[in-house]
Each structure stands twice: as C-alpha cells, then as structure tokens.
Amino acid sequence: MKPAFFCAKQQTETKNTPEKVLACWQDAFHTGLRLCEQKRWQEALPYFHCALETAEILMADDGVKPGRAHELFSSAASMLIDTLGNLGSEDRRRQVYYAAVKVLTRELPRHPGEQVCLGEHLESLYRQLRHSNLATRQPDLGIAFAHHH
C-alpha cells in the first residue's frame, strides 16, 4: 500500500513551496470530510490518501513547523482509518494504522522538542486501535506512504 498522488516532478516542484502542499492537504482533507458527511466512503478514500501523502511531504520540509505537520499527518491518518473501517476494510485499516505509527515514531528522534505532542498523536491512534479489532494481527511495518527525500 503505497499510494502516490504526486509524481517525482511534482514532489520536486513542491519541495520549496510548502504553501502549495498545505493548500493541497486542505483541499483533499476537506473534500474527504464532505464526502464522509454524505457517507460516500469509497469516494473519500483517495482524498484522505492524498492528505496523508501531502502531510508526509510537509513533515520532510524544514520550512514547516514540525508540530503542524505532525498534526496534519495524524488527522489524515485518523480519517483514513475511520473511512476504511466504515467500508469494512480491516486489513487496509490495520496497514494504515501501523504505517502511521511507524512514520510518527520515526519523527521522535528527529524532533525531540515535539515528543509530548507526538506521544499524544500516537496515543490518539492507539485509542482508535483499542476501540476496534485492529489489534488482531500486525502487518509488515515496512509499509510507507510516500517517497522520502
């Protein structure tokens, strides 16, 4: 599971323009939310995948405050997990959960000043795990959301 909504050229073009990536995240996330409000889960999926990928790009950008990027990433991961749950896609839901935990955990040593906030994001994702049947089995943690720079 490695959706890629940005081609290599787009990733390069947006690298120094976090405001474009942030605008993309906002559009994708809010479109996904609107579709979820209408219970159009399947249609919301690509928007939340896109929001997740754009948040991961923002996390790699030094021009974006790490706490803000982590918040955007966690919000997109949470909505994607919920949407997959509404579709009954437990395996994919579990994959997204463990991949999101892996990404956020990887951020801990990179941003020691953000450890409390990262811990809160991880706890929030864990609560989603605890309140579902995601804990039944763990997938390969080698899953990634986007190409890393």
Side-chain angles (χ1 to χ4, degrees):
M1 177 168 155
K2 190 174 183 178
F5 294 91
F6 289 106
C7 68
K9 181 182 176 194
Q10 288 171 313
Q11 286 181 358
T12 301
E13 289 173 356
T14 58
K15 185 171 179 132
N16 295 319
T17 56
E19 59 279 349
K20 287 183 182 179
V21 181
L22 182 57
C24 180
W25 183 91
Q26 291 171 332
D27 289 345
F29 189 79
H30 292 293
T31 300
L33 286 177
R34 281 192 302 279
L35 291 167
C36 283
E37 289 170 358
Q38 299 169 13
K39 299 188 183 333
R40 294 164 56 190
W41 317 118
Q42 191 66 44
E43 292 173 63
L45 278 180
Y47 292 99
F48 289 132
H49 275 290
C50 181
L52 196 62
E53 182 178 340
T54 56
E56 195 166 5
I57 290 168
L58 288 168
M59 288 190 322
D61 191 310
D62 293 333
V64 177
K65 290 182 180 179
R68 179 69 174 142
H70 299 147
E71 179 183 340
L72 298 175
F73 179 85
S74 295
S75 297
S78 180
M79 288 306 301
L80 182 56
I81 289 167
D82 282 349
T83 302
L84 288 166
N86 287 325
L87 289 168
S89 300
E90 290 305 314
D91 286 341
R92 288 182 63 205
R93 187 177 189 203
R94 199 172 15 265
Q95 288 175 338
V96 170
Y97 168 80
Y98 287 108
V101 167
K102 181 179 178 183
V103 168
L104 290 173
T105 302
R106 191 174 57 228
E107 290 290 297
L108 288 167
R110 291 185 61 223
H111 302 287
E114 295 292 325
Q115 288 187 4
V116 171
C117 289
L118 281 165
E120 290 171 0
H121 293 307
L122 288 164
E123 175 63 27
S124 177
L125 288 172
Y126 177 72
R127 279 192 303 271
Q128 280 185 282
L129 168 71
R130 196 173 60 219
H131 295 299
S132 71
N133 65 357
L134 287 173
T136 56
R137 116 185 117 97
Q138 294 183 1
D140 176 16
L141 294 180
I143 299 167
F145 290 109
H147 303 286
H148 297 286
H149 310 287

